[in-house]
C-alpha cells in the first residue's frame, strides 16, 4: 500500500517528516517534492534500499542516481578531488536545481553511481525535501518519481499514477515550482560539461565558470531514425519536435499538422500561445505551454501538459521548440528525448 500524506510546502509538520525519515532509514521508499519535480527517495548509502528504488522505477542499473544532501559538509564526505569551482558553484547555487558530478568517495555504493568512479550531488531548494533529508541523516538518492521512461511527475497525483503499490509513502506538497529536472554539470572534465540541461540556465553557470560545454541533442549529428534513441520523459503517443523560430516555425507547424491529419493520424500539438491563430481551424488536440517569452511558465507546464494531452488520445504529438536561451535548452532536451530523437528543423522541407 502506498500512503499519500499532505504536507505544508513551507512548514511541513515535523511529525510527518520524522515518520517519512524513519521509513527511509529502514530502507523504504518515500516520494517527496523538490523545486524541480517529485523525487523518489531512498537511503543513498544503503545498497538494499537502492536496489528497491531501481526495482520500483523499473530503472536499469546502468543509469546512475543523484544523491541529495542538506549541508556543504556532506560534499567532501561523498566526493573527492573537489575543485575550487565546485565549492563556488555550491555556495552560489545550492540549495537549487544544480547537480555536480565529481569523483566519488568509497563510501558511495556502486549501485548509486552505476559503477562509475563519479557521484552526482545536489542540495534541493524545497523546505519539505530539506527537512526530510536532514531528518533522515543520510544522503538521499532521488531520481524522478515515475516509472522509467515515463513523463516526470510534477504533482503527487502523477507519482501515484506511476508508482501506487510500489512505494511506501508520498508526501504531497502541491505542484512543483520549476517543472524540469536539475542541470547536471560534470566537473571532472577539462572543460565543465552540462550533461543534462535543466532548471539552472547555462548562462548562470557561464557567468561563474566561463564557457561550458553542452551536450546538445539537436546538434548531436543527423537525427536518428525513430526508435534509435532510448525514449525518456515520454508520453504514450508518438512525438515529433519541430525546431525553429518565428514565422517559419508557425508555418511549418501548420503544414506538418495538416500532413499528419491527411495521413490519418489523430494529432495533438504542444504549442506556444502565439501559435494558436496558425492552427486554430485544424481538427487537432491542442495544449498551450505558454507564451514564447515566458520560459519559466513553459517549463512548469511542460510535463503536466504532455500528460494531459496524451490522455486526450492523440496517436501523434507535434511539439514546438522554444530555443536555447535560459530554460529553453532544458525544454528542448526534454522534448527531443520524449520524441525519441524525432526532430525536424523548420527550414527543412517536411
Ligand atoms: P534522474 O535521477 O532521473 O534525475 O537522472 C539523473 C541523471 O544524472 C542521470 O541520468 C545521469 O544523466 C546523471 N548522473 C547521475 N550520476 C552521474 C554520474 N556519476 N556521472 C554522470 N552523470 C550522472
Ligand atoms: Mg528521471
Amino acid at each position: 500500500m502506498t500512503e499519500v500524506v499532505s504536507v505544508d510546502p513551507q512548514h511541513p509538520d515535523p511529525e510527518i517528516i520524522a515518520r517519512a525519515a524513519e521509513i527511509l532509514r529502514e530502507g523504504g521508499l518515500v516520494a517527496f517534492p523538490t523545486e524541480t519535480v517529485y523525487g523518489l527517495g531512498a537511503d543513498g548509502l544503503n545498497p538494499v534500499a537502492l536496489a528497491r528504488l531501481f526495482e520500483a522505477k523499473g530503472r536499469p542499473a546502468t543509469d546512475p542516481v543523484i544523491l541529495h544532501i542538506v549541508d556543504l559538509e556532506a560534499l567532501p564526505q561523498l566526493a573527492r578531488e573537489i575543485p575550487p569551482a565546485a565549492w563556488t558553484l555550491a555556495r552560489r547555487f545550492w540549495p537549487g536545481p544544480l547537480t555536480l558530478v565529481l569523483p566519488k568517495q568509497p563510501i558511495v555504493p556502486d549501485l548509486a553511481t552505476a559503477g562509475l568512479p563519479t557521484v552526482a550531488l545536489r542540495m534541493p531548494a524545497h523546505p519539505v525535501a530539506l527537512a526530510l533529508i536532514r531528518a533522515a541523516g543520510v544522503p538521499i538518492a532521488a531520481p524522478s518519481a515515475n516509472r522509467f521512461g515515463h513523463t516526470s511527475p510534477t504533482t503527487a497525483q502523477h507519482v501515484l499514477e506511476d508508482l501506487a503499490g510500489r512505494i511506501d509513502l508520498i508526501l504531497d506538497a502541491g505542484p512543483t515550482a520549476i517543472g524540469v529536472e536539475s542541470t547536471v554539470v560534470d566537473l571532472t572534465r577539462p572543460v565543465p560539461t552540462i550533461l543534462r540541461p535543466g532548471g539552472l540556465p547555462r548562462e548562470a553557470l557561464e557567468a561563474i565558470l566561463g564557457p561550458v560545454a553542452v551536450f546538445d541533442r539537436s546538434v548531436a549529428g543527423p537525427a536518428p531514425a525513430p526508435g534509435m534513441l532510448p525514449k525518456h520523459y515520454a508520453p504514450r503517443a508518438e512525438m515529433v519536435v519541430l525546431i525553429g523560430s518565428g514565422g517559419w516555425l508557425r508555418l511549418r507547424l501548420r503544414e506538418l499538422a495538416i500532413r499528419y491529419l491527411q495521413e490519418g493520424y489523430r494529432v495533438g500539438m504542444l504549442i506556444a500561445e502565439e501559435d494558436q491563430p496558425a492552427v486554430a481551424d485544424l481538427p487537432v488536440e491542442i495544449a498551450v505551454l505558454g507564451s514564447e517569452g515566458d520560459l519559466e511558465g513553459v517549463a512548469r507546464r511542460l510535463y503536466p501538459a504532455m500528460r494531459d494531452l496524451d490522455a486526450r488520445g492523440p496517436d501523434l504529438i507535434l511539439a514546438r521548440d522554444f530555443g536555447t536561451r535560459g530554460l529553453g535548452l532544458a525544454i528542448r532536451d526534454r522534448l527531443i528525448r520524449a520524441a525519441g530523437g524525432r526532430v525536424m528543423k523548420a527550414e527543412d522541407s517536411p
Side-chain angles (χ1 to χ4, degrees), residues 75 81-91 100 102 187 208-209:
L75 187 51
E81 297 166 36
I82 302 168
W87 288 107
T88 309
L89 291 175
R91 288 203 183 87
L100 303 178
L102 293 162
L187 295 175
I208 289 186
L209 296 176

Side-chain angles (χ1 to χ4, degrees), residues 327-347:
L327 292 182
L329 200 61
I331 294 165
R332 173 181 289 187
D333 174 82
R334 301 311 186 273
L335 287 172
I336 292 176
R337 290 211 229 182
R342 295 179 69 183
V343 179
M344 303 189 79
K345 303 254 158 91
E347 62 268 26

Side-chain angles (χ1 to χ4, degrees), residues 37 57 59 63 143-146 148-150 152 181 196 232-233:
V37 302
K57 273 185 63 85
R59 182 174 174 119
D63 197 355
S144 51
N146 51 278
F148 183 74
H150 287 195
S152 299
E181 295 83 349
R196 175 180 75 184
H232 215 120
Y233 313 103

Side-chain angles (χ1 to χ4, degrees), residues 96-312:
L98 174 66
T99 296
L100 303 178
V101 172
L102 293 162
K104 83 177 191 80
Q105 292 282 13
I107 190 182
V108 178
D110 284 339
L111 213 47
T113 68
L116 293 171
T118 53
V119 62
L121 299 173
R122 172 163 106 90
M123 191 187 296
H126 193 296
V128 173
L130 291 171
L132 179 62
I133 303 163
R134 190 177 302 283
V138 287
I140 298 298
S144 51
N146 51 278
R147 293 280 288 173
F148 183 74
H150 287 195
T151 307
S152 299
T154 56
T155 67
Q157 181 58 37
H158 296 162
V159 179
L160 204 54
E161 284 166 19
D162 263 27
L163 297 175
R166 309 183 71 92
I167 65 178
D168 300 300
L169 177 66
I170 302 173
L171 298 178
D172 179 358
T176 58
I178 293 178
V180 293
E181 295 83 349
S182 62
T183 301
V184 179
V185 184
D186 187 347
L187 295 175
T188 68
R189 301 178 186 225
V191 177
T193 302
I194 294 180
L195 300 179
R196 175 180 75 184
L200 187 76
R202 166 193 192 162
E203 293 88 337
L205 283 174
E206 293 195 323
I208 289 186
L209 296 176
V212 301
V214 185
F215 181 68
D216 180 350
R217 275 164 218 285
S218 70
V219 296
M228 286 290 286
L229 280 186
K231 270 206 184 186
H232 215 120
Y233 313 103
R236 179 198 50 79
E238 285 300 305
M239 202 164 131
V240 175
V241 188
L242 186 62
I243 289 183
S245 62
W248 272 114
L249 178 63
R250 266 186 272 290
L251 197 66
R252 197 61 83 201
L253 205 54
R254 178 180 172 81
E255 279 178 11
L256 271 177
I258 290 171
R259 202 190 87 192
Y260 287 125
L261 285 167
Q262 284 168 348
E263 286 176 14
Y265 286 102
R266 285 173 301 168
V267 177
M269 300 185 80
L270 277 174
I271 60 174
E273 254 164 52
E274 291 83 352
D275 303 328
Q276 277 182 292
V279 296
D281 60 318
L282 302 179
V284 295
E285 295 285 345
I286 286 176
V288 177
L289 293 169
S291 172
E292 285 170 325
D294 175 22
L295 295 174
E296 276 80 17
V298 171
R300 193 160 47 238
R301 281 184 285 271
L302 182 63
Y303 290 143
M306 238 186 239
R307 282 177 184 258
D308 291 346
L309 184 57
D310 207 25
R312 281 147 67 189

